[in-house]
Structures are given as structure tokens and as C-alpha cells.
Amino acid sequence: MTSEPPAYAVPGVESEDPTHTPGYFFYRVDRLAGFPPVAAAIGRAPSVMPAICSDDSAMREAFAQSRGALCRQLWVGTDDGLHWELSFGDGVKFIVDPGDEPVDFLRDALVAQPGVSSAEHYCDENFKVETTRVLRADEMAAYFIDTVVAAHREFARSQGIDLPY
């Protein structure tokens, strides 16, 4: 007899949790790209986001992130659909991380997402996020994509960079 997955798990997509913790579901966002919330968020994202970390246009292009590359560098995980761990790869830093500046564009954009009650940037590439209702992992993945795009725009604006989108 097969038990039903919890409400926060994505049906038909196996968890990638390396610890194999029962009830914990962990997904790389590109594996969720075919689900409507994620597909819609990908569609809202610019096709390529230039790196903001450099004044050199060649560097901006070299470290730019396409939609596909972005989704391969984002992970979402939870064991209850209310408390989330969001992680991102190094490439994402080039488009959203102001380095030593006191502002955290990702955290601010996460807290601005509907239904997100708190976000803590507890280490370089990880967040703990709490939501006001149970979300399925593809919904959280869509929020995460929207968050990165919003943070990218704010980072560019803070550096006086005009983006074409």
C-alpha cells in the first residue's frame, strides 16, 4: 500500500534530500519547471539576467544567468510546508549579492512575497523562510524565482544600472 505524499510535496517528483530524512522534501527548482506555478514564474523572468557584481560589461555577460541556469541553482526544501529552507548556487550571487553592503535584496524580496511571514539569511547561500499557510514545493519554487528577479532588479537599481526589462 502506497501512502499519499504530504500536501507540500510535488506529486510524481522524487525528493532529492541527501539525508533521506522521512517527511522532508527537497527539490532543485529546474525539476519543477513543468508545474504551472514554476512555469509561470520562469515566463515572468528575463531570459538572461546580467551580473551586477562588476562595472565591466564583459564580466556582466560572462557571469550572466539564463532562466535555465538560474533554475538549476535554486533549491527548496521543507518537512511541513510552512518552514522552508531555500538555497542557491554561486552563480546567483553574481546577479543579486551586494557583497559587504548592509542591504540584503534577497531577504527583502522574500519577505515581500505573498504569504511569507519571515525570512532569515542564515548563511551565505541559505535562507530559512516561514509562510502563513502550507505551500506546495512548486509554489515556493515560484516565489523563489520571483524573489531572485526582484532582488536582481533592486541590486541593479542600487548600482545605477538600467536593465532592459
Side-chain angles (χ1 to χ4, degrees):
M1 184 161 110
T2 309
S3 64
E4 289 293 313
Y8 51 86
V10 178
V13 182
E14 192 172 325
S15 174
E16 297 176 84
D17 177 23
T19 67
H20 305 290
T21 304
Y24 187 79
F25 286 80
F26 185 76
Y27 303 101
R28 194 173 70 192
V29 169
D30 66 326
R31 294 186 62 230
L32 307 176
F35 290 86
V38 179
I42 292 168
R44 289 188 295 271
S47 58
V48 176
M49 290 178 272
I52 305 298
C53 61
S54 174
D55 292 333
D56 182 333
S57 62
M59 290 291 286
R60 283 191 190 149
E61 187 176 323
F63 292 107
Q65 298 296 306
S66 68
R67 291 174 178 159
L70 175 66
C71 289
R72 286 187 300 275
Q73 293 186 66
L74 300 177
W75 294 267
V76 298
T78 187
D79 63 1
D80 66 2
L82 290 168
H83 300 90
W84 292 87
E85 173 138 1
L86 306 182
S87 304
F88 57 93
D90 286 338
V92 175
K93 288 182 181 181
F94 294 118
I95 63 172
V96 298
D97 189 357
D100 294 334
E101 292 184 31
V103 66
D104 188 334
F105 296 114
L106 275 173
R107 186 198 61 239
D108 294 348
L110 269 170
V111 172
Q113 292 297 323
V116 171
S117 58
S118 67
E120 176 192 352
H121 199 163
Y122 72 92
C123 117
D124 272 356
E125 298 169 353
N126 297 292
F127 283 90
K128 289 182 181 180
V129 176
E130 187 171 342
T131 59
T132 58
R133 67 179 177 84
V134 172
L135 296 177
R136 203 166 82 169
D138 56 336
E139 294 174 293
M140 181 52 81
Y143 283 177
F144 201 12
I145 293 167
D146 289 340
T147 292
V148 171
V149 172
H152 180 251
R153 287 185 177 126
E154 285 304 310
F155 187 19
R157 186 173 298 126
S158 77
Q159 300 300 306
I161 298 169
D162 291 324
L163 298 172
Y165 40 84

